[in-house]
């Protein structure tokens, strides 16, 4: 699952991306990662950029959650109310490869 929000978006006084990650952790999710974009635009078509001449304080942020399809569906219902403005994309049917000391182990996901 990928959730696209703005860096300055908040949930109950804290950065939204952080609140989303903590909610995934609290609900027992397998993992979540936050990516900060260097440039992008969203629903309002305002371009936000990290370029020096046009430095923005609201860069695009992607929260990516990896888990089983069933857990993603449950997490989506919990996280959706937190995202008042943004985009949530749910992707099922992916193949994951888990790396461990013994080498990669393909797993169904």
């Amino acid at each position: 699952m990928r959730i696209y929000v703005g860096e300055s978006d908040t949930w109950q006084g804290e950065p939204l991306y952080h609140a989303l990650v903590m909610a995934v952790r609290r609900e027992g999710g397998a993992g979540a990662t936050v990516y900060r974009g260097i440039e992008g635009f969203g629903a309002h078509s305002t371009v936000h950029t990290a370029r020096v001449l046009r430095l923005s304080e609201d860069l695009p942020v992607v929260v990516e959650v990896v888990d089983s399809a069933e857990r993603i569906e449950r997490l989506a219902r919990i996280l959706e109310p937190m995202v008042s403005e943004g985009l949530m994309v749910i992707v099922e049917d992916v193949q994951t490869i888990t790396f461990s000391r013994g080498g990669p182990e393909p797993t169904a996901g």
Side-chain angles (χ1 to χ4, degrees):
M1 170 172 49
R2 287 191 184 122
I3 306 165
Y4 297 83
V5 297
E7 185 177 32
S8 67
D9 294 346
T10 61
W11 171 258
Q12 297 180 345
E14 65 181 335
L16 176 57
Y17 60 85
H18 178 71
L20 292 167
V21 169
M22 292 298 103
V24 170
R25 184 170 182 246
R26 186 173 53 252
E27 294 298 321
T33 302
V34 177
Y35 300 97
R36 183 176 187 229
I38 60 171
E39 188 167 80
F41 70 92
H44 300 291
S45 297
T46 301
V47 175
H48 302 277
T49 183
R51 288 184 285 148
V52 176
L53 296 176
R54 295 185 54 208
L55 191 60
S56 173
E57 294 181 6
D58 190 24
L59 292 171
V61 174
V62 178
V63 179
E64 189 166 87
V65 180
V66 178
D67 213 316
S68 68
E70 296 79 23
R71 183 165 286 151
I72 290 292
E73 288 178 26
R74 186 173 61 78
L75 287 169
R77 288 191 299 274
I78 293 165
L79 302 179
E80 187 177 9
M82 297 171 69
V83 183
S84 62
E85 192 171 292
L87 174 66
M88 186 177 295
V89 178
I90 300 172
V91 179
E92 297 179 18
D93 298 333
V94 296
Q95 180 180 359
T96 60
I97 299 174
T98 304
F99 289 93
S100 65
R101 290 181 185 207
E105 299 174 12
T107 58

